[in-house]
Amino acid sequence: MGKFLPALNVIPKLRDATAHSMTKLSEKTLEQTGIFSRFLMDVADVFLFMARFNKELFSGRFEWKEFGHQCYQVGYKTLPLISITGAIMGLVLTIQSRPVLADFGAVSMLPGMVTVSLIREMGPVITALICAGKIGSGMGAELGSMKVTEQIEAMEVSSTNPMRFLVVTRVLAATIMIPLLVLYADLLGILGSWGGANIKGSVTFTLFFSQAFSAVDFLDFLPAVVKTFFFGAVIGLVGTYKGYNAGRGTESVGIAANSAVVLASLLVIIVDMIAVQITDMIIS
Amino acid sequence: MSTFPTDINTIAWPKATDRESVIEINNLKKSFGTQQVLKDVSIKLYKGENLVILGKSGSGKSVLIKCIVRLMNPDAGTINVLGENLSTLNTDALGLLRQKLGFLFQSGALYDSMTVRENLEFPLRRIKKDLSEKEISEKVIEALENVGLADALNKMPSQLSGGMRKRISLARTIVVDPMIMLYDEPTTGLDPVTSDEISELINEVQKKYKTSSIIITHDIECARATADRIIMLKDGEVYTEGNIDDFETSTDPLIKSFFK
Ligand SMILES: Nc1ncnc2c1ncn2[C@@H]1O[C@H](COP(=O)(O)OP(=O)(O)O)[C@@H](O)[C@H]1O
Ligand SMILES: [Mg+2]
């Protein structure tokens, strides 16, 4: 019996250890609810910001020149980045899918399958995430530094509504240009896929494209395009919201840019999930 | 002249009824959270004068001056600018009133994404809507010449030194012919020579454009060069008021710490 006694010593240690891990766990949960509730508050604030945006959108003069400039910034300046990622996306997807399809003897389905997944999901989501990084952070940093250096206030005292001049133009530019960027990425993705298909085997351009597009129907296309407008709006709204509401002091510029990317990416994924659910309900 | 009273009421300043006031601030209060920045501030700006408001950094000078253009809303108290009660104005009326005020921001607030010319054209196109392209261009050049920087026309703000940025920013403010100028620390962060130049410009603007000005600063040299009258803020209240001689000869320790 005596030799079991030392084993009993373990029990308090075990109890301590459990207690320890329990406090850790509860701390963690607390921390997580902190993050979660902060996220919800952020989302609520973005909605409030959206209400302000809507009010400004339909009142007063529209800043066409700044809008044009922003379309150029958001659209044209992002093209190189989107070109590379779009093409590589198609290429990689093709190379990865080929062996699986070959196992089923269905290599001829390759163009169609890759095209459908590009148009439905990969193109919109990956492009939107890249735009959240480039455009969301750009807007957060730009407006954030304008806020910190009193440029937004300077606008306000020179008879300009900064909400209309800075926010409305940027959000609209993102809402219109991001869907175009997605279509462009889809197209380059399909080209990349054609390239990938030609690594092992050879397919003519026309054959590849006819196979690709015969697999896609309108119901793949429409919901995918519709959701990209929401992605664009989310990225524009979050980027401008974070910048416009940056705190005081230079460090808030970095914080604005960073949190714009985090929140915009997260919301893109969430909007995508909701969009997929709704599409599914409508189609079935 | 040896000591001077810190109680405003005993100073023999011209009464409000003697001189026309363009800004009247009464019992202004402003807090951020639990921090009371302005406790009870009453100030008048008379027509044609340069009023310097002195105070340590963080004493609420910028908050005060931003309340005057309603970039911030006070918690209590009233502000009358050119006879209009700020808090009663709607957006359009406020916009019109702001066109008569020139605000020189502490950081200059030049738009980084625009050239100097575009910076000056920005308020001009929005405030003086009936100007022709030629008139706009002439006004821009004239304002730049007035601050001695006509050759900076096509530069970007990032290519300019701190002193030049302040001057361009001053040009952007005067280009729309304001009646009242509000300067938020016009010389802070500049070397003494450049500071003197800016103070000189402030005086020139007052003469040339017949403005009334509030100059907020903690720079004594700037106060010496520009002030017709000085008000000192401490702990969110008006601490004392006088002209430059009163301050120079004061025995009050706080004032002496500024004028050493
Ligand atoms: N928007 C704001 N939010 C919170 N606190 C502020 C804000 N603006 C100013 N303050 C606080 O008010 C005080 C006075 O600021 P300020 O007027 O900028 O001082 P200064 O006299 O140097 O211009 C400071 O303590 C500052 O932290
Ligand atoms: Mg200040």
Side-chain angles (χ1 to χ4, degrees):
Chain A
M1 191 67 185
K3 66 179 179 190
F4 289 111
L5 274 175
L8 284 176
N9 284 339
V10 174
I11 293 172
K13 276 186 194 157
L14 230 141
R15 198 189 54 214
D16 283 354
T18 350
H20 185 64
S21 68
M22 287 287 274
T23 53
K24 268 282 184 56
L25 199 70
S26 62
E27 266 169 26
K28 262 214 182 112
T29 353
L30 263 180
E31 214 173 78
Q32 270 154 10
T33 46
I35 290 170
F36 188 64
S37 61
R38 230 176 304 148
F39 168 72
L40 286 183
M41 270 155 67
D42 249 3
V43 173
D45 284 340
V46 172
F47 269 102
L48 286 179
F49 192 69
M50 193 167 82
R52 258 179 91 187
F53 164 82
N54 285 333
K55 194 178 135 247
E56 297 297 344
L57 181 60
F58 299 111
S59 69
R61 76 180 242 192
F62 186 72
E63 306 276 356
W64 283 104
K65 196 168 158 230
E66 178 68 7
F67 172 69
H69 179 66
Q70 287 309 318
C71 285
Y72 172 78
Q73 287 286 335
V74 171
Y76 187 71
K77 290 271 177 88
T78 322
L79 272 185
L81 188 63
I82 298 298
S83 310
I84 296 170
T85 39
I88 292 179
M89 198 161 61
L91 182 77
V92 169
L93 206 58
T94 308
I95 296 172
Q96 295 270 40
S97 317
R98 189 183 193 105
V100 184
L101 288 180
D103 284 349
F104 292 106
V107 180
S108 65
M109 284 172 67
L110 190 61
M113 200 201 81
V114 170
T115 305
V116 168
S117 47
L118 273 177
I119 286 180
R120 271 198 185 174
E121 199 56 31
M122 302 292 283
V125 172
I126 290 186
T127 309
L129 287 178
I130 286 171
C131 288
K134 181 159 180 358
I135 297 164
S137 73
M139 286 177 178
E142 189 193 10
L143 295 202
S145 78
M146 289 187 78
K147 172 82 181 266
V148 170
T149 58
E150 301 174 308
Q151 291 175 51
I152 293 184
E153 288 175 322
M155 259 177 204
E156 211 168 328
V157 295
S158 32
S159 288
T160 303
N161 181 332
M163 198 63 197
R164 222 175 281 151
F165 187 84
L166 297 171
V167 175
V168 169
T169 53
R170 280 166 177 73
V171 174
L172 280 186
T175 310
I176 291 167
M177 296 316 283
I178 287 176
L180 293 178
L181 287 172
V182 169
L183 290 180
Y184 173 75
D186 288 348
L187 194 70
L188 279 184
I190 296 167
L191 278 176
S193 171
W194 175 61
N198 275 309
I199 292 176
K200 287 183 183 170
S202 83
V203 204
T204 64
F205 187 73
T206 36
L207 178 63
F208 185 89
F209 265 68
S210 67
Q211 279 182 345
F213 282 105
S214 63
V216 183
D217 74 47
F218 189 64
L219 283 179
D220 292 319
F221 200 67
L222 185 70
V225 169
V226 169
K227 76 182 174 189
T228 56
F229 283 95
F230 286 93
F231 292 168
V234 161
I235 291 167
L237 275 170
V238 171
T240 50
Y241 159 73
K242 286 291 183 181
Y244 202 80
N245 292 298
R248 300 162 0 104
T250 32
E251 75 281 3
S252 6
V253 178
I255 295 172
N258 184 264
S259 57
V261 178
V262 173
L263 186 60
S265 312
L266 206 54
L267 286 181
V268 161
I269 300 284
I270 291 174
V271 168
D272 184 54
M273 182 188 74
I274 296 169
V276 168
Q277 295 291 328
I278 292 176
T279 315
D280 204 44
M281 265 162 49
I282 292 175
I283 289 177
S284 62
Chain B
M1 246 347 229
S2 56
T3 59
F4 98 95
T6 47
D7 181 2
I8 310 165
N9 299 322
T10 61
I11 301 175
W13 274 107
K15 293 195 195 74
T17 46
D18 301 344
R19 295 172 75 186
E20 191 186 338
S21 67
V22 285
I23 296 181
E24 273 188 53
I25 300 170
N26 292 312
N27 308 104
L28 199 70
K29 296 184 178 66
K30 177 78 185 172
S31 314
F32 294 102
T34 56
Q35 181 197 8
Q36 255 191 308
V37 178
L38 300 176
K39 287 186 192 135
D40 185 7
V41 175
S42 300
I43 288 174
K44 275 194 178 121
L45 175 69
Y46 297 108
K47 192 167 184 175
E49 74 168 339
N50 274 350
L51 169 65
V52 165
I53 298 180
L54 274 180
K56 289 191 296 186
S57 351
S59 58
K61 304 185 298 296
S62 295
V63 171
L64 172 67
I65 204 171
K66 281 181 182 169
C67 286
I68 298 176
V69 286
R70 222 168 92 182
L71 281 172
M72 285 183 185
N73 283 312
D75 301 335
T78 58
I79 301 176
N80 274 291
V81 178
L82 297 167
E84 313 236 32
N85 184 343
L86 272 195
S87 58
T88 62
L89 298 180
N90 63 17
T91 319
D92 291 339
L94 179 66
L96 284 176
L97 183 64
R98 278 173 173 168
Q99 296 179 1
K100 298 177 187 146
L101 308 177
F103 198 118
L104 185 72
F105 286 88
Q106 187 166 350
S107 57
L110 291 179
Y111 308 125
D112 317 302
S113 57
M114 302 182 195
T115 63
V116 167
R117 178 203 286 274
E118 287 164 342
N119 261 285
L120 267 72
E121 284 178 351
F122 190 90
L124 207 50
R125 287 183 194 283
R126 283 150 198 276
I127 292 175
K128 310 239 157 185
K129 291 196 179 96
D130 43 359
L131 292 183
S132 68
E133 284 301 311
K134 186 159 161 278
E135 286 167 316
I136 288 177
S137 173
E138 278 167 8
K139 277 194 94 70
V140 167
I141 307 255
E142 188 200 327
L144 284 176
E145 276 168 355
N146 281 336
V147 298
L149 280 176
D151 50 343
L153 190 63
N154 294 312
K155 293 216 165 86
M156 295 303 284
S158 55
Q159 296 170 290
L160 305 173
S161 70
M164 288 161 92
R165 292 171 69 108
K166 270 277 161 69
R167 285 203 263 170
I168 299 292
S169 176
L170 181 56
R172 186 179 69 182
T173 314
I174 57 179
V175 78
V176 290
D177 309 319
M179 295 169 71
I180 300 174
M181 285 293 297
L182 305 167
Y183 298 91
D184 192 356
E185 309 213 3
T187 59
T188 301
L190 302 178
D191 61 83
V193 177
T194 317
S195 296
D196 288 349
E197 286 169 11
I198 298 281
S199 304
E200 198 48 49
L201 274 176
I202 293 175
N203 286 331
E204 277 173 26
V205 166
Q206 186 204 18
K207 276 200 214 96
K208 187 157 185 180
Y209 294 82
K210 309 250 178 314
T211 52
S212 325
S213 325
I214 293 183
I215 300 146
I216 280 192
T217 191
H218 57 240
D219 174 12
I220 292 310
E221 289 310 321
C222 176
R224 279 199 182 104
T226 58
D228 296 322
R229 188 161 63 99
I230 301 177
I231 283 176
M232 187 158 190
L233 288 185
K234 180 177 181 277
D235 300 331
E237 287 175 322
V238 173
Y239 181 67
T240 186
E241 176 183 355
N243 64 25
I244 188 78
D245 291 334
D246 299 331
F247 276 79
E248 301 268 22
T249 51
S250 168
T251 53
D252 184 286
L254 181 74
I255 297 174
K256 281 178 90 173
S257 73
F258 267 91
F259 283 80
K260 50 176 175 296

